Amino acid sequence: VLLGEASHGTSEFYRARAAITRRLIEEHGFTVVAVEADWPDAAAVDRYINHRPARPDAERPFDRFPTWMWHNTVIEGLTFWLRSHNARVQDAHSRVGFYGLDIYNMRGSIAAVLDYLDEVDPEAAAVARERYGCLTPWQRDPATYGRSVLTRGYGDCEEEVVTQLRDLLERRLDYEARDGASFLDAAQNARLIRSAERYYRIMYYGGAESWNLRDTHMFETLEHVLNARGPEAKAVVWAHNSHIGDARATEMGAVRGELNIGQLCRERWGDAAALIGFGTHTGTVAAASDWGGDMEVKRVRPSLEDSHERLSHDTGLPAFLLDMDRDPAVRRRLAEERLERFIG
């Protein structure tokens, strides 16, 4: 079940998704909460809700811009609820896990891989430190890595990070025998480093490639988590509407050549993937005027004519859920091109 949002900073979307998530967990056996956040940050929450100690010297999670996306009271409340829920579940495999799908926190992922290897294979840890060394100058601001590759002809680190991931996965059985609970975390961090290196290397060229790489990584992360949790695993995903809607139904796919998680889930699982978008006619949003800027609470202007939001507003209903599978005629009319609100 993929739950969207028209903006990253509107509390009603978060509260609705939290309520739906609790219902899916309590009444329908969902055990995975996967969010548009970085894997290392979400892993800190996962350790907390599963009553495991924090990693030594771990950084505070979700400090990367925009902090309000996950540093907010709704997520805090959901985190406490998940911890309480898991305390009541006797079977550890049936407890809920909290996972990040995104690729931005390369620095945190490198640290997590090295910490894991220090525990299970110190010799491999020394090799990994050397391989990841080429990324060291850019760990705090990895976007500058892509600029260096583009403008200075700097030799990229792709071969090193791919080799490190391959080595980690080839030793999977040995490592799982030593510390199976932590292997998924280490392997996914290694995958994140590989994807992040490519992402920052190509994003300065523009086009759909960097977007597609990011959403493909997020989808593959979701697949890895579900596979690790077993054949009965069910996940609820939190991400922006632009990620969880089917890109083929919008200009993203038809014009710009972009794909997204919603499309990949629909292609992989068909009707077993439910895509649920959230929108509003007006209201407020926490956002910044510039990338990296301070948070401001802004009023959202009323929806534009010929938009999905205006069509919904004109029904006169203050809030509703629309299931487009219920009525083929309604589905055909709603398939006509309309504008859709998109606040990044």
Side-chain angles (χ1 to χ4, degrees):
V1 173
L2 286 74
L3 304 177
E5 59 186 353
S7 79
H8 286 321
T10 299
S11 62
E12 287 86 352
F13 297 152
Y14 281 76
R15 294 204 303 270
R17 293 190 298 184
I20 294 168
T21 299
R22 291 194 297 268
R23 176 97 171 226
L24 291 173
I25 291 169
E26 286 187 310
E27 300 190 18
H28 299 282
F30 279 62
T31 56
V32 171
V33 179
V35 301
E36 184 188 341
D38 298 326
W39 179 276
D41 302 78
V45 175
D46 183 68
R47 297 179 75 87
Y48 176 76
I49 67 172
N50 281 287
H51 300 264
R52 300 197 307 272
R55 291 188 180 279
D57 304 320
E59 296 181 353
R60 191 172 72 155
F62 303 132
D63 269 352
R64 186 183 63 79
F65 176 85
T67 52
W68 57 88
M69 187 171 169
W70 303 112
H71 254 168
N72 60 64
T73 55
V74 178
I75 297 301
E76 180 185 44
L78 180 62
T79 299
F80 292 148
W81 184 89
L82 290 170
R83 180 178 170 91
S84 176
H85 168 84
N86 282 344
R88 300 190 298 270
V89 178
Q90 297 299 316
D91 178 16
H93 190 71
S94 299
R95 292 172 186 159
V96 178
F98 190 89
Y99 306 95
L101 302 178
D102 224 333
I103 63 174
Y104 288 121
N105 193 346
M106 185 163 61
R107 180 167 175 263
S109 288
I110 290 174
V113 171
L114 296 178
D115 286 348
Y116 173 76
L117 290 175
D118 281 337
E119 289 289 328
V120 302
D121 194 339
E123 291 185 9
V127 174
R129 280 187 169 84
E130 184 173 345
R131 287 172 174 163
Y132 288 150
C134 64
L135 291 170
T136 299
W138 293 278
Q139 284 186 40
R140 288 193 177 275
D141 187 11
T144 57
Y145 171 70
R147 195 157 61 239
S148 297
V149 171
L150 185 64
T151 61
R152 301 179 202 167
Y154 180 83
D156 65 69
C157 302
E158 180 179 22
E159 182 177 351
E160 299 293 338
V161 298
V162 170
T163 299
Q164 182 56 47
L165 172 59
R166 186 184 302 118
D167 282 0
L168 189 65
L169 295 178
E170 285 177 350
R171 301 181 189 182
R172 176 173 189 158
L173 293 178
D174 182 36
Y175 288 158
E176 284 187 328
R178 302 188 212 180
D179 187 2
S182 298
F183 179 80
L184 172 65
D185 181 56
Q188 191 53 45
N189 277 301
R191 294 186 184 102
L192 185 153
I193 297 163
R194 178 197 60 183
S195 295
E197 187 278 331
R198 291 184 59 209
Y199 177 81
Y200 289 114
R201 179 156 41 88
I202 67 177
M203 75 176 185
Y204 282 93
Y205 292 97
E209 188 178 0
S210 60
W211 172 277
N212 290 348
L213 187 153
R214 181 182 171 211
D215 269 57
T216 299
H217 172 87
M218 288 199 280
F219 170 73
E220 290 175 349
T221 300
L222 180 62
E223 275 196 308
H224 289 308
V225 168
L226 288 170
N227 289 337
R229 294 302 301 260
E232 301 302 317
K234 292 187 284 188
V236 54
V237 177
W238 292 33
H240 194 278
N241 285 343
S242 57
H243 293 295
I244 67 93
D246 190 328
R248 296 171 297 179
T250 74
E251 68 172 16
M252 289 175 63
V255 178
R256 301 203 299 267
E258 295 174 344
L259 51 75
N260 62 7
I261 310 171
Q263 173 185 335
L264 296 172
C265 285
R266 188 54 56 75
E267 290 174 342
R268 174 71 171 81
W269 294 300
D271 290 340
L275 315 181
I276 305 174
F278 287 70
T280 182
H281 169 65
T282 187
T284 58
V285 59
S289 296
D290 297 296
W291 185 264
D294 293 333
M295 187 192 85
E296 304 171 51
V297 176
K298 300 171 178 279
R299 177 153 292 281
V300 176
R301 68 179 180 179
S303 57
L304 300 176
E305 296 287 346
D306 197 30
S307 70
H308 287 289
E309 290 79 9
R310 178 61 64 88
L311 184 66
S312 295
H313 178 67
D314 287 347
T315 65
L317 301 173
F320 61 88
L321 171 67
L322 178 63
D323 182 351
M324 288 187 282
D325 283 335
R326 295 284 181 90
D327 189 325
V330 171
R331 185 185 179 113
R332 284 195 299 272
R333 288 301 305 274
L334 290 173
E336 297 172 5
E337 287 191 357
R338 294 179 181 271
L339 299 171
E340 180 184 6
R341 189 186 298 282
F342 186 125
I343 301 174

